[in-house]
Amino acid sequence: MATLSIGLFSSLVGSMNSDFALKLAEAAANKGHTVNLWFSGNATTLARKGQKSFKDYSYLIEKITALPEKGVSVAVCEACAAARGIHKAEVIEGITVHSMDWYVAKAAQSDRVLHIGGE
Amino acid sequence: MGKEILFVVSRPPYKSENPKLAITHAMACYVADIHIDEEVEPIMAFVADGVLNCIKNQRSEAFYGIISTEQHIKNQLASDMKMFVCKEDLQRLEIKEERLIDGKDMGAEVDLEMVGFEEILKEMERCDQVMFF
Amino acid sequence: MRLGVFVSDLRGNEKMLDRLKAEKLGVFLVENGIYHAVIKEDGMISPLLQKEGADYYVLTEDLQTRGFTSSEVDSKVSVVTYLDVVDLMMNDYEKLVWL
């Protein structure tokens, strides 16, 4: 089994890239791969607690919280999150808060990296 | 020998956060060894409309109060980061070499290196990982 | 280099895809990129599908989300699931680019 790192930079609302990244991470974990998932830039909004479900917008909180239970390491960029008013206390349990060096370190040692840039 | 990551920037600066995030993630490579037992070397390549990040005399600090992409690029050159700019895209956009950021302003010993897209493809193949911004 | 390229838009990626060269090239059509697999414009298939030697894949969930079925997909393109994408990424391509 191999290691896949996915970097996501698109926002929770306004882009379907987030849905894609989460489904891909889940599929890779189900296949037995080690998966790292990094939220940076506008993707840090995915990590925030208290998201409300509306049928017109992607609602991913259940998928996000299920990923660590499947062994996926999910981390959010501390500076990008703080710039958007999301501090550690507001981050969903199971998601870790790191600086960018975490992601590039994980990526460097991965077998595959899929870096999904922002808008 | 550590790992090498190529950061490819294909979008112009400022409207999108992407190019700046490429730069900050590249800089983060220098401290990545606190997480893993090897060094991570960043390399940057500006391609397509991303070459517009490399034009000098940017004044974002004066008008928007944010550090310019130019300043970030100069800091990276001062850290001896290898940075390529695609020659064909510079020609296509009629950007002459004298319009490009000069690393020597910050005392850097390396400068932006103009190379053909073929060279950037070779770097994509050679580096351990590629991140396309 | 074995390169997998993800295309998630209908417009704006043609030039960059055209410039990317690899011994083995795979193009993953996802999100709005799926339109390249099913739409003809002025009677012509997408220029994106005309890259010599490339393998093409379209994500079935994104295809169906947008009202298309696998029967409408161009014969050059294989219809794949998320699990197939994982296998292809891990086994067939070493570098991945999201345009």
Side-chain angles (χ1 to χ4, degrees):
Chain A
M1 288 298 112
T3 302
L4 168 67
S5 288
I6 302 171
L8 178 67
F9 289 67
S10 309
S11 61
L12 167 63
V13 175
S15 171
M16 293 291 281
N17 289 356
S18 309
D19 300 70
F20 177 87
L22 264 61
K23 279 177 178 263
L24 187 71
E26 185 184 16
N30 287 343
K31 284 263 177 185
H33 298 295
T34 301
V35 183
N36 304 305
L37 181 59
W38 172 245
F39 298 148
S40 191
N42 284 339
T44 54
T45 53
L46 274 85
R48 189 172 199 153
K49 282 181 190 166
Q51 294 166 26
K52 189 170 161 54
S53 171
F54 292 95
K55 274 293 189 185
D56 282 323
Y57 304 112
S58 295
Y59 179 68
L60 299 173
I61 205 154
E62 282 150 17
K63 271 198 182 308
I64 293 167
T65 49
L67 287 173
E69 289 163 19
K70 287 178 182 284
V72 177
S73 296
V74 187
V76 61
C77 175
E78 186 169 21
C80 298
R84 289 160 177 83
I86 306 165
H87 302 283
K88 277 184 183 172
E90 283 107 37
V91 170
I92 296 164
E93 278 91 25
I95 298 181
T96 55
V97 180
H98 286 288
S99 46
M100 293 171 187
D101 40 80
W102 180 91
Y103 171 52
V104 291
K106 292 288 181 186
Q109 291 202 321
S110 293
D111 298 290
R112 298 288 180 272
V113 174
L114 180 60
H115 179 87
I116 303 175
E119 301 77 29
Chain B
M1 182 69 190
K3 302 282 189 187
E4 290 177 284
I5 302 179
L6 179 69
F7 296 82
V8 183
V9 179
S10 63
R11 292 180 173 92
Y14 298 112
K15 182 179 178 184
S16 161
E17 190 186 9
N18 253 17
K20 195 166 270 187
L21 284 171
I23 292 168
T24 47
H25 278 75
M27 281 303 266
C29 289
Y30 289 127
V31 290
D33 59 352
I34 61 171
H35 299 281
I36 53 176
D37 56 0
E38 58 187 339
E39 292 190 349
V40 181
E41 183 75 28
I43 296 159
M44 291 205 73
F46 296 92
V47 302
D49 296 342
V51 301
L52 295 165
N53 287 274
C54 301
I55 290 179
K56 67 181 171 189
N57 298 330
Q58 296 174 23
R59 300 189 62 208
S60 64
E61 181 96 46
F63 296 110
Y64 292 99
I66 55 171
I67 297 175
S68 68
T69 300
E70 176 175 8
Q71 189 58 53
H72 278 296
I73 289 173
K74 283 179 177 171
N75 291 344
Q76 289 182 309
L77 290 168
S79 306
D80 294 333
M81 194 184 295
K82 202 182 279 184
M83 303 182 91
F84 299 112
V85 190
C86 179
K87 204 186 286 183
E88 291 92 335
D89 290 311
L90 289 173
Q91 283 165 359
R92 178 177 60 85
L93 296 167
E94 298 186 13
I95 300 167
K96 302 260 188 298
E97 192 175 350
E98 55 266 28
R99 293 294 316 274
L100 297 183
I101 292 164
D102 190 352
K104 292 183 183 66
D105 289 353
M106 289 273 292
E109 288 178 12
V110 296
D111 225 328
L112 291 169
E113 206 176 318
M114 289 187 293
V115 297
F117 193 76
E118 283 293 326
E119 287 302 308
I120 292 167
L121 281 175
K122 282 181 194 162
E123 285 297 300
M124 281 176 67
E125 183 164 10
R126 191 187 63 77
C127 288
D128 297 284
Q129 303 295 353
V130 177
M131 294 187 186
F132 227 83
F133 283 80
Chain C
M1 171 168 58
R2 292 179 294 131
L3 181 67
V5 182
F6 286 77
V7 174
S8 64
D9 280 314
L10 175 57
R11 312 274 178 212
N13 294 312
E14 302 86 347
K15 277 187 189 167
M16 183 52 73
L17 184 64
D18 192 47
R19 297 170 81 182
L20 292 172
K21 292 182 174 55
E23 292 159 42
K24 180 175 168 62
L25 184 77
V27 181
F28 294 82
L29 303 170
V30 301
E31 301 186 40
N32 285 350
I34 67 100
Y35 292 117
H36 293 286
V38 287
I39 289 286
K40 283 188 175 152
E41 207 162 349
D42 297 324
M44 308 284 285
I45 64 162
S46 166
L48 218 94
L49 295 187
Q50 293 169 28
K51 200 159 166 81
E52 209 175 308
D55 294 309
Y56 295 93
Y57 312 99
V58 65
L59 186 60
T60 185
E61 286 193 25
D62 289 353
L63 195 64
Q64 292 179 47
T65 294
R66 287 158 180 79
F68 292 92
T69 63
S70 53
S71 64
E72 295 167 275
V73 170
D74 189 277
S75 59
K76 287 183 176 181
V77 185
S78 306
V79 180
V80 293
T81 64
Y82 274 97
L83 291 172
D84 297 327
V85 173
V86 171
D87 286 342
L88 287 161
M89 284 168 64
M90 294 306 195
N91 302 326
D92 290 31
Y93 302 99
E94 53 196 345
K95 302 275 169 56
L96 303 164
V97 166
W98 180 282
L99 290 181

